[in-house]
Amino acid sequence: MKTFNGILYGGDYNPNQWPREIWDEDMRMFRDARINSATINVFSWAKIQPAEDQYNFSELDDMVDMLSRENYEIVLATSTGALPAWMAAKYPEVERTDYEGRHHKFGHRHNACPNSPVFQKYSAALAGKLAERYGSNPHVKCWHISNEYGGECYCENCARAFRVWLQKKYGTIEELNKAWNMEFWGHTIYDWDEIVLPNALGEGIGTEKTAFAGISIDYRRFNSDSMLANFVAERDAIRVYDKETPITTNLMGTYKGLDYFKWAREMDIVSWDNYPRYDTPWSHTAMCHDLMRGLKDAPFMLMEQTPSQQNWQPYNSLKRPGQMRAQSYQTLAHGADTIQFFQLRRSVGACEKFHGAVIEHVGTENTRVFREVKQLGEELEKLGGILPGSVNQAQVGVIFDWDNYWALEYTSGPSVDLTYVPHIHEYYRYFYDRNIAVNMIPVDADFSKYKLIVAPVLYMVKDGMAQALEAFVEKGGTLVLTYMSGIVGQSDNVHLGGYPGPLRRLAGVWVEEIDALAPEQFNQVVMDSGESCKCGLVCELMHLEGAESLGTYGDDFYKGMPAVTRNSFGKGHVYYVGTHMEEAGLDRILDKAAAEAEVESVVSGGEGLEIVCRKTKEGKKLYFVMNFGEQERTLPACLAGRKDLLTGEKAADTLKKYEVCIIEAEES
Ligand SMILES: [Zn+2]
């Protein structure tokens, strides 16, 4: 398989939107900024297939020729992320039917029905033609299939495909009725053709909830599989002509709609688009990078970020001086081998004209943004021989599971505020603040690689999971479980016999009831030490079944009942956090769990700095030290006075906001 020469530095480039005289000017300016890569042909389907029986690659040939001459590493997209108008006009089935049952007309992007035979035929055909034409070009270093897969379709083609998918999964109608608990409200069905999609016209409640979570979760699995089948069809069409070039598609972090762990198994390399908002915590962005790295437990590509401004968020603030550089190093620190922008030249019209670019509307290099891009380009050129392929290692695994994400957020009760990602982030944040490396892992990961596993809101416990977690703890692992865990199985039916169901033995507690607290309501957790901390959202009323209490509720009729517990199980321990605690209280519990598991920070000291370690193929450790806080911070003693790879000189003793250094140390 082909690999990149150094760190890929570039981004989405659309010379087709510009007259030819601009192309040469682009090349001159990109060279100046040390840009070595361009992602092309992301939205050009209408151009390269102007009619059903016609292909025209002349302009794309010119673009590929120019970039090859200039020795670029080309990321070649397949263009299937937006449909051509002729196809929508001739074959209305290629457009989606939305959640409200409205069949769409031509317009927008990410708009194809994944189960339309016409779309399937022409998207795979186009990918094959591109591979036949460009697959042998040594400058083509990566295939980029479609763009940001997402959304849903509820058309008749999808309904038919859903029935086939269900027959394969359940075999008989009886099994399906049982899985979806269809006796409820007398929804029993007797024929596969009676199954309708769970949209607003069916089982949907509003846009987020459902009367039958079992159907809706299966639909999400099916929809994710349907789009994955589109990806696989294009990938396989490319592989007929090109066996050497890695194939990816750009993912979107914690995007809800697609089971990215399943997708990653079909991708050669993971890539993703990072668009934090002005108020997104840096810990959240770090978590998304760790999740994207975790999909294949391997380095990934940053396919898109903006050099400065976005256009599609409510408030599109500029990146402050140094912010883009610091954000880029955070990305590399957490496992990226590329830094790519959307986009290289800012478009003149349509909805992304206010989306930032390396070359702004003024058209010259005399901009703050360009200068910052150039500075970063010069630095990355120097790191190119050291960084790519180096790995991140962690003693802590945080479980992330799309089935659980869907199931938890479909539940009707106990609280509308119980969403998935914020709770994962609260637990991740504890480790981030202490520079303890984390791997984001799937539910079927090899747990034995970790000292500490954290499984926040593990509402859905599928077959075999409890046994795998028990085996991990039995051998000496430490496990942290929380409220709303172990409640349902894979079809969202409750594990009977008391919460947390199959985790009850492991946790050594029985949760009898779950109270929901409104945003203005709070309880207290009174710790063993006598200190107390606020808690809310949900309060589980627990009985000890072998576990010890670490803190009890301070108020209400369940005052004195355990709120947080610790259980010994085999050689290991299980912490069960039965309520949503304020940060200081949660930190106290996680301090105990981390100490018990003997997990260590990447380095000692360095308070207020983000420090991440990547280990090179030669066994050297690269410490990325970044300051995202307001205060100037001091480098930890073990890194102070050593050479900063970015400057080649001794690292400064302190870092101000957005300052970064990278320090290399031999394997200790
Ligand atoms: Zn459809």
Side-chain angles (χ1 to χ4, degrees):
M1 196 70 70
K2 286 181 197 165
T3 53
F4 307 134
N5 302 322
I7 297 169
L8 224 61
Y9 190 53
D12 277 50
Y13 179 45
N14 302 296
N16 45 307
Q17 294 174 11
W18 297 92
R20 297 292 171 115
E21 55 270 25
I22 297 282
W23 295 21
D24 289 340
E25 179 67 354
D26 288 340
M27 291 299 102
R28 183 188 67 74
M29 288 171 66
F30 295 161
R31 208 176 303 130
D32 189 31
R34 306 296 192 271
I35 282 169
N36 58 29
S37 170
T39 304
I40 54 170
N41 200 44
V42 180
F43 291 109
S44 304
W45 198 346
K47 190 71 150 285
I48 54 184
Q49 191 177 3
E52 188 169 7
D53 51 358
Q54 255 179 54
Y55 289 90
N56 179 355
F57 294 101
S58 57
E59 188 182 56
L60 186 56
D61 284 349
D62 291 348
M63 284 158 53
V64 169
D65 285 350
M66 173 178 71
L67 294 169
S68 300
R69 256 194 328 271
E70 297 278 336
N71 205 24
Y72 272 58
E73 302 198 78
I74 299 169
V75 177
L76 187 51
T78 60
S79 261
T80 51
L83 295 163
W86 62 260
M87 195 183 291
K90 185 165 180 188
Y91 302 104
E93 64 157 73
V94 298
E95 295 289 342
R96 288 183 187 173
T97 297
D98 67 21
Y99 188 74
E100 281 75 31
R102 302 172 304 183
H103 192 69
H104 283 210
K105 296 188 184 304
F106 175 69
H108 227 278
R109 62 174 184 170
H110 310 147
N111 48 1
C113 165
N115 290 298
S116 153
V118 173
F119 172 73
Q120 290 168 348
K121 175 181 156 189
Y122 284 115
S123 54
L126 181 60
K129 285 201 177 290
L130 288 163
E132 185 180 13
R133 195 170 189 89
Y134 304 109
S136 60
N137 181 330
H139 295 279
V140 173
K141 284 299 190 75
C142 184
W143 288 100
H144 173 307
I145 292 181
S146 191
N147 182 68
E148 296 181 343
Y149 278 100
E152 301 98 39
C153 180
Y154 296 89
C155 76
E156 275 311 306
N157 277 330
C158 286
R160 276 190 287 276
F162 187 42
R163 291 172 199 132
V164 172
W165 186 92
L166 291 167
Q167 284 184 48
K168 207 169 146 201
K169 176 166 181 174
Y170 292 108
T172 66
I173 286 280
E174 290 71 33
E175 279 303 308
L176 176 133
N177 277 314
K178 206 170 107 193
W180 292 353
N181 196 36
M182 295 293 257
E183 276 295 325
F184 181 73
W185 287 352
H187 281 207
T188 306
I189 56 166
Y190 294 95
D191 190 289
W192 297 101
D193 287 341
E194 291 164 12
I195 297 166
V196 296
L197 296 168
N199 65 355
L201 311 176
E203 301 292 4
I205 301 173
T207 53
E208 300 296 324
K209 298 290 180 183
T210 174
F212 282 77
I215 306 176
S216 296
I217 295 165
D218 270 342
Y219 169 75
R220 282 200 176 272
R221 291 170 174 145
F222 157 76
N223 185 60
S224 176
D225 284 357
S226 297
M227 291 186 189
L228 180 55
N230 294 158
F231 171 86
V232 166
E234 288 195 43
R235 181 200 66 189
D236 292 350
I238 290 169
R239 283 284 173 255
V240 171
Y241 300 99
D242 177 1
K243 309 256 188 282
E244 297 298 317
T245 310
I247 300 176
T248 190
T249 183
N250 47 345
L251 309 180
M252 297 178 286
T254 60
Y255 174 70
K256 187 174 174 180
L258 305 175
D259 182 347
Y260 284 156
F261 277 112
K262 206 168 173 187
W263 276 65
R265 294 203 285 266
E266 306 296 337
M267 298 164 67
D268 296 318
I269 184 167
V270 165
S271 67
W272 87 286
D273 300 347
N274 179 28
Y275 290 107
R277 291 163 50 120
Y278 74 96
D279 57 351
T280 302
W282 289 96
S283 54
H284 194 281
T285 304
M287 178 184 79
C288 291
H289 288 312
D290 285 350
L291 179 61
M292 294 295 97
R293 187 188 72 245
L295 296 181
K296 286 185 91 69
D297 195 13
F300 59 91
M301 300 169 73
L302 179 77
M303 189 62 84
E304 294 183 21
Q305 68 173 354
T306 176
S308 180
Q309 197 164 29
Q310 276 124 317
N311 71 290
W312 47 270
Q313 294 175 346
Y315 308 102
N316 299 285
S317 47
L318 299 175
K319 283 183 179 160
R320 275 32 214 173
Q323 185 179 348
M324 180 279 288
R325 176 176 179 265
Q327 185 180 315
S328 300
Y329 282 114
Q330 186 192 39
T331 306
L332 295 169
H334 286 271
D337 277 355
T338 78
I339 294 292
Q340 297 157 273
F341 298 107
F342 185 88
Q343 54 187 331
L344 296 188
R345 184 181 273 275
R346 196 188 273 224
S347 56
V348 72
C351 66
E352 282 173 349
K353 65 180 175 297
F354 281 118
H355 196 296
V358 171
I359 302 175
E360 301 277 19
H361 284 147
V362 68
T364 72
E365 56 268 66
N366 188 25
T367 62
R368 177 182 72 92
V369 168
F370 188 90
R371 284 189 292 274
E372 292 196 26
V373 169
K374 180 178 170 174
Q375 183 199 342
L376 181 63
E378 288 168 348
E379 291 172 358
L380 296 187
E381 213 169 49
K382 286 186 272 180
L383 288 176
I386 308 169
L387 187 67
S390 56
V391 297
N392 296 65
Q393 294 173 328
Q395 299 170 332
V396 178
V398 173
I399 291 179
F400 195 99
D401 182 40
W402 266 269
D403 281 328
N404 190 46
Y405 191 170
W406 300 332
L408 182 77
E409 296 195 353
Y410 274 136
T411 61
S412 185
S415 168
V416 292
D417 293 336
L418 199 60
T419 53
Y420 188 57
V421 176
H423 293 266
I424 302 288
H425 175 245
E426 278 183 19
Y427 282 78
Y428 178 91
R429 191 253 341 135
Y430 169 84
F431 301 100
Y432 174 88
D433 284 350
R434 288 156 186 77
N435 291 318
I436 298 171
V438 168
N439 277 355
M440 302 294 290
I441 58 173
V443 288
D444 57 354
D446 175 5
F447 297 145
S448 70
K449 285 166 45 181
Y450 302 96
K451 291 181 171 178
L452 176 62
I453 301 278
V454 186
V457 284
L458 194 62
Y459 167 73
M460 178 183 281
V461 173
K462 292 173 270 195
D463 293 350
M465 274 172 58
Q467 293 83 338
L469 290 169
E470 284 183 2
F472 164 72
V473 179
E474 221 153 29
K475 287 181 199 134
T478 304
L479 174 67
V480 177
L481 298 169
T482 77
Y483 43 89
M484 283 299 280
S485 287
I487 299 192
V488 300
Q490 73 101 18
S491 294
D492 200 60
N493 293 317
V494 169
H495 290 295
L496 298 177
Y499 314 134
L503 304 175
R504 183 171 168 182
R505 199 169 81 97
L506 189 56
V509 296
W510 168 41
V511 175
E512 185 181 350
E513 294 180 87
I514 305 171
D515 196 13
L517 279 62
E520 70 278 12
Q521 297 177 316
F522 295 97
N523 203 314
Q524 305 286 325
V525 177
V526 182
M527 309 278 205
D528 288 354
S529 57
E531 295 165 279
S532 58
C533 80
K534 239 181 186 176
C535 68
L537 186 66
V538 287
C539 293
E540 295 193 336
L541 280 55
M542 287 193 273
H543 303 278
L544 301 176
E545 293 183 335
E548 56 173 318
S549 171
L550 300 178
T552 55
Y553 291 110
D555 297 322
D556 218 321
F557 77 93
Y558 42 92
K559 178 178 176 178
M561 286 182 84
V564 187
T565 62
R566 174 181 172 276
N567 192 36
S568 298
F569 190 90
K571 291 182 189 156
H573 298 94
V574 181
Y575 290 78
Y576 192 95
V577 184
T579 181
H580 183 253
M581 298 166 82
E582 66 178 341
E583 195 173 301
L586 179 59
D587 285 359
R588 206 64 45 79
I589 301 302
L590 292 174
D591 281 344
K592 279 183 198 285
E596 184 139 52
E598 298 179 343
V599 297
E600 292 150 348
S601 300
V602 170
V603 293
S604 53
E607 194 201 336
L609 295 168
E610 180 178 342
I611 306 177
V612 182
C613 179
R614 278 183 79 170
K615 203 166 137 188
T616 68
K617 283 178 261 180
E618 292 77 35
K620 287 178 177 158
K621 287 181 169 179
L622 302 177
Y623 292 94
F624 290 72
V625 187
M626 299 154 280
N627 187 355
F628 292 112
E630 297 300 327
Q631 285 178 48
E632 189 165 348
R633 296 286 187 171
T634 307
L635 244 62
C638 61
L639 300 179
R642 306 180 74 148
K643 191 174 91 171
D644 175 6
L645 292 185
L646 296 177
T647 61
E649 289 163 22
K650 191 164 92 82
D653 294 337
T654 60
L655 295 181
K656 295 196 186 74
K657 187 173 187 182
Y658 296 141
E659 286 186 338
V660 177
C661 65
I662 303 178
I663 291 167
E664 185 185 282
E666 298 294 331
E667 169 70 294
S668 53

